[in-house]
């Protein structure tokens, strides 16, 4: 039994690339997969993550550097997820008590499944950090509401809504956190492996928690915008009443002091 390492990095919001210099012809395009020179695989995902499975350290560094250069909106703080892979011909594929991934062999399909889980876990860390930052920024708004004081921050709330919608778009539309990789649909052994790994890294649970937080932020922001619109509507109504009163006073003045 011998082991290799797998590591994934969340490098940006998107990776739009079909080839990488020095990696040869891709083994697969969805996700983009290359063979290492001395074994192992490089796997790149459109949702902005890249994973090295069983590559040499020099190839890991090369892959990371190249991915950062082609990433859209590259991240300043890199989140990563790694795992140890143990290879044994008689192993029951899955995760052992120490959290190590057990495989009979490390094929391109195995690498894609492992890379998918690690990459999604890494980008989830980014989404979780972004949502936590939004919570911290809207805390003053919640405190003002609790104290019964108005807070003039409509534009700020709109920006937070925009951030939340972007996270939802990336999480659901690009990363598809709870969706299985394509290769797992056709191969039962890879499907089972993906299920075990997804459970080990709590992808579904983390996605559900993140979704609830996003819904809470959207609900709170919507409540504030409704209050703000209500205040503006009331203000307009008072302006109308004031203008009517002014018009009545002018009419009374003209009637009392005809020219």
């Amino acid at each position: 039994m011998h082991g290799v390492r797998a590591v994934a990095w969340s490098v940006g919001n998107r990776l739009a690339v079909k080839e990488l210099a020095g990696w040869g012809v891709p083994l697969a395009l969805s996700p983009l997969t290359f063979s290492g020179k001395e074994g192992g695989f490089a796997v790149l995902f459109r949702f902005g993550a890249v994973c090295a499975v069983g590559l040499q350290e020099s190839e890991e560094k090369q892959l990371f550097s190249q991915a950062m250069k082609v990433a859209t909106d590259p991240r300043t703080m890199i989140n990563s997820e790694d795992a140890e892979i143990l290879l044994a011909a008689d192993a029951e594929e899955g995760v052992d008590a120490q959290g190590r991934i057990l495989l009979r062999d490390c094929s391109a399909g195995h690498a894609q499944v492992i890379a998918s889980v690690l990459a999604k876990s890494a980008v989830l860390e980014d989404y979780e950090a972004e949502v936590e930052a939004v919570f911290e920024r809207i805390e003053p708004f919640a405190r003002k509401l609790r104290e019964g004081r108005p807070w003039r921050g409509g534009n700020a709330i709109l920006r937070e809504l925009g951030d939340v919608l972007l996270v939802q778009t990336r999480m659901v539309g690009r990363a598809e956190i709870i969706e299985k990789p394509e290769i797992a649909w056709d191969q039962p052994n890879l499907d089972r492996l993906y299920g075990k790994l997804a459970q080990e890294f709590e992808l579904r649970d983390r996605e559900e928690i993140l979704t609830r937080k996003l819904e809470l932020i959207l609900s709170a922001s919507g409540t504030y915008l409704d209050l703000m619109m209500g205040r503006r509507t009331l203000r307009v109504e008072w302006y109308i009443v004031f203008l009517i009163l002014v018009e009545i006073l002018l009419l009374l003045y003209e009637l009392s002091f005809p020219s």
Side-chain angles (χ1 to χ4, degrees):
M1 180 181 292
H2 68 282
V4 295
R5 186 173 94 115
V7 56
W9 303 275
S10 176
V11 295
N13 288 333
R14 190 172 178 83
L15 279 177
V17 60
K18 294 183 179 179
E19 59 183 21
L20 284 179
W23 289 90
V25 178
L27 300 177
L29 298 178
S30 182
L32 188 61
T33 307
F34 299 95
S35 290
K37 295 178 181 178
E38 299 181 31
F41 303 91
V43 188
L44 295 89
F45 297 89
R46 290 181 300 171
F47 54 79
V50 59
C51 185
V53 180
L55 293 179
Q56 300 297 313
E57 184 177 353
S58 60
E59 290 181 306
E60 286 186 6
K61 293 179 179 179
Q62 178 187 357
L63 177 64
F64 175 77
S65 176
Q66 289 177 307
M68 287 294 295
K69 291 177 181 177
V70 299
T72 301
D73 300 324
R75 301 193 180 280
T76 54
M77 180 177 292
I78 304 297
N79 282 315
S80 64
E81 188 71 76
D82 61 73
E84 183 181 357
I85 301 172
L86 296 181
L87 301 174
D90 58 347
E92 179 181 353
E93 295 190 333
V95 183
D96 68 8
Q98 288 74 43
R100 298 172 299 186
I101 301 173
L102 304 179
L103 298 179
R104 293 190 181 94
D105 67 280
C106 191
S107 65
H110 288 91
Q112 289 175 7
V113 168
I114 293 170
S116 177
V117 173
L118 296 183
K120 289 177 180 180
S121 183
V123 298
L124 267 175
E125 289 188 41
D126 285 324
Y127 300 157
E128 289 162 349
E130 291 179 31
V131 171
E132 188 63 31
V134 173
F135 265 105
E136 292 180 0
R137 292 197 297 268
I138 67 172
E139 184 179 354
F141 149 68
R143 189 178 298 113
K144 293 282 187 180
L145 284 183
R146 186 185 64 182
E147 296 171 355
R149 292 185 292 165
W151 182 53
R152 297 181 179 180
N155 290 334
I157 288 295
L158 288 175
R159 286 194 294 270
E160 304 305 343
L161 278 172
D163 287 343
V164 169
L165 291 174
L166 283 174
V167 171
Q168 284 186 320
T169 299
R170 296 199 298 268
M171 185 172 70
V172 178
R174 292 184 188 170
E176 299 177 337
I177 298 298
I178 61 175
E179 296 295 327
K180 296 185 292 187
E182 292 181 12
I183 196 168
W185 289 97
D186 301 324
Q187 301 188 36
N189 63 316
L190 296 183
D191 186 21
R192 290 191 296 272
L193 176 63
Y194 179 80
K196 293 176 182 178
L197 294 180
Q199 184 175 4
E200 174 68 19
F201 287 88
E202 302 178 328
L203 295 186
R204 181 175 292 275
D205 292 342
R206 292 165 66 189
E207 191 269 347
E208 290 178 352
I209 292 172
L210 194 55
T211 297
R212 288 199 296 269
K213 288 183 177 181
L214 291 170
E215 290 173 349
L216 177 59
I217 294 172
L218 287 173
S219 176
S221 301
T223 299
Y224 173 74
L225 291 176
D226 289 342
L227 290 173
M228 188 173 63
M229 292 302 296
R231 290 174 62 86
R232 289 181 177 177
T233 301
L234 182 61
R235 191 180 302 120
V236 170
E237 290 175 351
W238 276 111
Y239 289 157
I240 294 172
V241 171
F242 176 75
L243 291 174
I244 292 173
L245 288 174
V246 170
E247 187 173 347
I248 292 174
L249 290 174
L250 290 175
L251 180 59
L252 290 175
Y253 179 82
E254 291 178 359
L255 291 175
S256 301
F257 302 96
S259 55

